[in-house]
């Protein structure tokens, strides 16, 4: 297998998947426990997207563990295409969820200062959840980037021959 | 040159760039003329991103026109890498801007109904600008997708040899 940090079937790849699972689960739990989140569409979408991200990352983490235990080579162009497409779709969804939630959190805390006016809103939890969602996105983008890099290098190595 | 719809140096690619320019300029003009947009951070970011998108798409449209007039072959792996990276960065920026603005527009119109309570807010303009920004993102994503496809097919054709 090619030694690309963070690509599927490597310890780095597994670490990225575990980080995605931890951050997505954290974001989901913190947002679900925040008072009044269901009044804001962006926060509901964040919960849906973090749930999808959790399932995708968990599935790929299981594949990574299986690959590491059995030395199953995941670095074939047919497999890598699927990871690239899935990771990019998840990365776009997480980016949309994170940026829309960041926008609403900034709106509540700075633009209209609802957090100051209505102290019963769980603004600190919204902020923590949004930060965790942004971290989920950055880990997913790292996975997507390294899988893309792997795809290009697989093409390149065929090209060099 | 390879005949991939929407790739650089083709009529389809030029049409996509022109669509990006028209939608980004439309979104920029409509948002700038909307009353009170500067109170909302997401709308300010939208204006900045649409300005960047406008410059990037205009530059690539000029390169496309030059390529079509002089039959300059843009489909070389060294060129295509740059377009893929630039287009993906722009697509991510536009997605973040569009989704954060959509979130704030939905917040204003549906979640807290500010548009009904404060009729002097230019909510219809916010909506039009956000729709145009989403269209800009979709055209940029189409460009990014076709350039990525071109990159993979350039790798593949080398691979077949």
């Amino acid at each position: 297998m090619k030694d690309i940090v963070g690509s599927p079937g490597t310890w780095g790849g597994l670490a990225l998947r575990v980080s995605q699972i931890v951050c997505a689960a954290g974001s989901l739990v913190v947002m679900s426990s925040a008072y009044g989140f269901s009044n804001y569409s962006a926060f509901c979408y964040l919960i849906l997207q973090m749930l999808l991200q959790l399932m995708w990352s968990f599935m790929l983490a299981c594949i990574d563990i299986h690959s590491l235990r059995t030395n199953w080579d995941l670095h074939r162009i047919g497999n890598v295409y699927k990871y690239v497409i899935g990771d990019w779709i998840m990365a776009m969804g997480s980016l949309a969820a994170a940026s829309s939630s960041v926008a609403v959190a900034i709106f509540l805390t700075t633009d209209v200062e609802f957090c100051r006016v209505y102290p019963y809103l769980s603004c600190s939890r919204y902020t923590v959840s949004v930060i965790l969602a942004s971290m989920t996105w950055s880990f997913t983008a790292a996975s997507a980037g390294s899988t893309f890099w792997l795809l290009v290098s697989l093409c390149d190595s065929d090209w060099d021959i």
Side-chain angles (χ1 to χ4, degrees), chain A residues 5 16-17 27 31 68 77 114 136 143 153 155:
Chain A
V5 180
L16 280 177
R17 297 294 168 199
S27 174
M31 187 55 87
L68 284 165
I77 219 153
F114 268 21
T136 307
S143 279
S153 77
C155 291

Side-chain angles (χ1 to χ4, degrees), chain A residues 2 4 77 80-81 84 88 144-160:
Chain A
K2 279 187 172 280
I4 291 176
I77 219 153
V80 175
Y81 267 113
V84 169
W88 277 103
S146 84
T147 324
F148 174 66
W149 191 258
L150 173 68
L151 179 69
V152 172
S153 77
L154 281 174
C155 291
D156 262 355
S157 62
D158 294 320
W159 188 44
D160 291 339

Side-chain angles (χ1 to χ4, degrees), chain A residues 86-154:
Chain A
D87 267 338
W88 277 103
I89 290 173
M90 278 295 145
M92 281 196 290
S94 291
L95 176 60
S99 53
S100 56
S101 303
V102 165
V104 171
I106 290 176
F107 187 91
L108 290 171
T109 53
T110 313
D111 295 346
V112 290
E113 295 189 345
F114 268 21
C115 295
R116 198 175 50 79
V117 181
Y118 306 111
Y120 55 85
L121 283 176
S122 311
C123 286
S124 55
R125 292 196 182 192
Y126 299 157
T127 310
V128 171
S129 174
V130 159
I131 290 171
L132 285 169
S134 305
M135 286 169 69
T136 307
W137 169 69
S138 61
F139 290 127
T140 312
S143 279
S146 84
T147 324
F148 174 66
W149 191 258
L150 173 68
L151 179 69
V152 172
S153 77
L154 281 174

Side-chain angles (χ1 to χ4, degrees), chain A residues 18-91:
Chain A
V18 172
S19 310
Q20 288 159 25
I21 292 169
V22 170
C23 291
S27 174
L28 194 66
V29 169
V30 173
M31 187 55 87
S32 311
S33 66
Y35 178 80
F37 83 90
S38 58
N39 296 329
Y40 309 118
S41 315
F43 293 157
C44 296
Y45 171 51
L46 181 82
I47 285 195
L48 175 71
Q49 179 61 40
M50 287 301 110
L51 209 62
L52 283 174
Q53 179 72 57
L54 202 59
M55 290 190 292
W56 169 257
S57 298
F58 181 73
M59 192 181 74
L60 289 213
C62 291
I63 294 175
D64 276 351
I65 291 169
H66 181 68
S67 159
L68 284 165
R69 287 184 62 178
T70 60
N71 277 327
W72 176 33
D73 185 7
L74 290 174
H75 292 189
R76 295 177 186 285
I77 219 153
N79 279 330
V80 175
Y81 267 113
K82 292 175 210 159
Y83 298 136
V84 169
I85 293 169
D87 267 338
W88 277 103
I89 290 173
M90 278 295 145

